[in-house]
Amino acid sequence: MENSKQLKLNLQYIGMQVPYWMGYSVLGTFTSVFLLSRDFTNGQIGMVLALANLLAAIVQPFLASFADRMTRIRLSQLAAGMAALLVLFSGVLVLLPKEFLIVAVVYVLLYACLVLLQPLTIAIGTFFISRGYGLNFGLARGLGSLAFAGAAAVTGVLIEAFSANIILFLLIGIFLFFMVITLFLDTRKHGGNYSDSLLMIETAEDQLEEPIDLFSFMKKYKRFMGLLAGASLLFVFHTIVNSYMFQIMQPLGGSEANVGTSLSIAALSELPTMFFFSWLLKHFKIHSLMRGAALFFSIKALIILFAGNLFMINLAQGLQMVGFAMHTMASVYYTNQIIPQKDLVKGQTLMAMANTVGGIIGSLVGGQMLNFLSVQAMLLIGTVISIIGTVIVWGTVQRTS
């Protein structure tokens, strides 16, 4: 009976992760296509994305603090509510004319909701993991990545067959499905199917203790906040590479097709780490995986910096397996071990926010460096930033049992 319960839980969680990453693919990958169809310029598209990510970064910690403190609303209901906003804003854009300011504002809200939903999906996973239930987060996240790739391919074909507006109809369908699946996930803190811990380590005091506010959290977990700063720096160069790969490859004779191949290599290399992360957890300490991931971020940066041909670039992209993918998985489990359950949503959200902030800086700074400096100078500065991030992560990661 217990095995069937665990299987049902895993299937439900996969049923939430897959549509989320499909939606992320449809909205994130084809932002330029959609906004260009509404007569936006490239500069305006960049501004919309920057504002959306900035809004999400500002709101994330406060949303997380609310999620930790809420009693009447379940975590799964909060995630479903965020998905409902995605459906609402998509519907509004279907009806809107090509009015620049209104479309820009609604699109910023739409994209910000997509970013804000990600840490909630992670927090729902850690809700079960922290209580000792056999949720295979890596399998669900890996299938999410596969769904991301599949949705990108299908959406591209549909846009050619119809129009860019098909993006909005896909988002409405995907996140309606997400809402239904998520609402069936039992995330009651007390009295639910999964509310009791199987780990037998919670004391009565732990269960009665109230979540602390955001600023008290930052003071209490100073070392964790230092780790977040290091992670943000790692994601600066990671974003520079993803955003400006064409400019990086062009001096080496690369084309748009080579860029697509390189990004595909990076995406596919993530899958083994995600699918077999449970095996890694049995053989390595989580703090060692965090340090190893940070190290490979910088090794990848150094290879790209000194790459003399496209093969070296693609070789570096393959290290995404032990860099980005490892960090994505390990950071979830590390945060789960370091931060108590009462403040876990805040911890997971701040970790996701660190990646978002690094992405914002990488996008903006990378573009400015390309405007005023050379590609090689951008890579050098980015590599130095990555190495500093690695050093900070190594110095702030706590040893775990």
Side-chain angles (χ1 to χ4, degrees), residues 195-224:
S195 55
D196 292 332
S197 175
L198 300 181
L199 300 177
M200 303 302 178
I201 57 173
E202 279 191 305
T203 64
E205 289 83 1
D206 290 332
Q207 293 177 354
L208 292 172
E209 199 173 351
E210 288 292 318
I212 58 178
D213 63 75
L214 178 62
F215 297 104
S216 299
F217 180 96
M218 294 169 71
K219 288 181 181 178
K220 182 175 181 180
Y221 300 105
K222 292 179 181 177
R223 193 163 175 176
F224 183 74

Side-chain angles (χ1 to χ4, degrees), residues 24 48-65 82 108-109 111-119 214-215 218 225 228 232 346 348-361 364:
Y24 201 104
V48 165
L49 287 176
L51 287 173
N53 281 294
L54 182 61
L55 175 62
I58 293 170
V59 173
Q60 272 178 336
F62 298 101
L63 179 66
S65 187
M82 191 64 68
V108 165
L109 294 173
Y111 200 97
C113 286
L114 180 76
V115 176
L116 289 168
L117 185 54
Q118 184 179 342
L214 178 62
F215 297 104
M218 294 169 71
M225 298 307 296
L228 299 184
S232 288
K346 272 193 291 292
Q348 295 292 355
T349 302
L350 288 171
M351 181 62 76
M353 189 183 79
N355 303 345
T356 302
V357 169
I360 295 170
I361 296 170
L364 296 177

Side-chain angles (χ1 to χ4, degrees), residues 145 148-149 261-272 274 317 320:
S145 291
F148 181 102
T261 300
S262 185
L263 293 177
S264 296
I265 290 170
L268 291 173
S269 71
E270 297 172 10
L271 299 180
M274 292 179 177
Q317 288 288 74
Q320 194 123 317

Side-chain angles (χ1 to χ4, degrees), residues 68-303:
D68 277 326
R69 290 175 173 273
M70 64 188 184
T71 53
R72 295 184 178 180
I73 304 172
R74 302 177 197 172
L75 193 56
S76 53
Q77 291 173 332
L78 183 61
M82 191 64 68
L85 288 177
L86 280 158
V87 172
L88 173 64
F89 291 135
S90 298
V92 170
L93 285 174
V94 169
L95 301 174
L96 277 179
K98 293 183 178 180
E99 191 67 40
F100 169 77
L101 184 59
I102 300 174
V103 172
V105 170
V106 175
Y107 200 90
V108 165
L109 294 173
L110 174 70
Y111 200 97
C113 286
L114 180 76
V115 176
L116 289 168
L117 185 54
Q118 184 179 342
L120 293 180
T121 65
I122 295 171
I124 288 172
T126 56
F127 173 91
F128 302 111
I129 294 169
S130 63
R131 287 163 171 76
Y133 293 95
L135 180 71
N136 192 330
F137 180 83
L139 176 62
R141 182 62 182 81
L143 290 174
S145 291
L146 278 177
F148 181 102
V154 172
T155 304
V157 173
L158 290 175
I159 290 172
E160 288 186 4
F162 300 99
S163 71
N165 268 356
I166 196 68
I167 292 168
L168 302 174
F169 293 103
L170 289 172
L171 288 174
I172 291 170
I174 287 168
F175 283 106
L176 281 174
F177 179 80
F178 177 97
M179 287 170 58
V180 172
I181 294 295
T182 304
L183 285 172
F184 278 101
L185 277 166
D186 188 352
T187 54
R188 285 174 289 177
K189 292 181 180 179
H190 304 290
N193 292 328
Y194 305 100
S195 55
D196 292 332
S197 175
L198 300 181
L199 300 177
M200 303 302 178
I201 57 173
E202 279 191 305
T203 64
E205 289 83 1
D206 290 332
Q207 293 177 354
L208 292 172
E209 199 173 351
E210 288 292 318
I212 58 178
D213 63 75
L214 178 62
F215 297 104
S216 299
F217 180 96
M218 294 169 71
K219 288 181 181 178
K220 182 175 181 180
Y221 300 105
K222 292 179 181 177
R223 193 163 175 176
F224 183 74
M225 298 307 296
L227 172 64
L228 299 184
S232 288
L233 294 180
L234 293 177
F235 273 80
V236 171
F237 187 77
H238 176 78
T239 303
I240 286 173
V241 170
N242 287 340
S243 301
Y244 304 106
M245 180 57 81
F246 179 70
Q247 290 90 331
I248 294 169
M249 282 189 151
Q250 201 172 26
L252 302 176
S255 64
E256 289 89 345
N258 295 129
V259 172
T261 300
S262 185
L263 293 177
S264 296
I265 290 170
L268 291 173
S269 71
E270 297 172 10
L271 299 180
T273 301
M274 292 179 177
F275 285 145
F276 298 107
F277 195 75
S278 296
W279 180 88
L280 289 172
L281 284 175
K282 294 176 183 177
H283 294 82
F284 299 93
K285 300 292 186 185
I286 195 68
H287 67 269
S288 299
L289 294 176
M290 287 287 291
R291 287 178 173 175
L295 178 63
F296 278 103
F297 265 96
S298 291
I299 291 174
K300 174 182 174 179
L302 285 167
I303 293 174

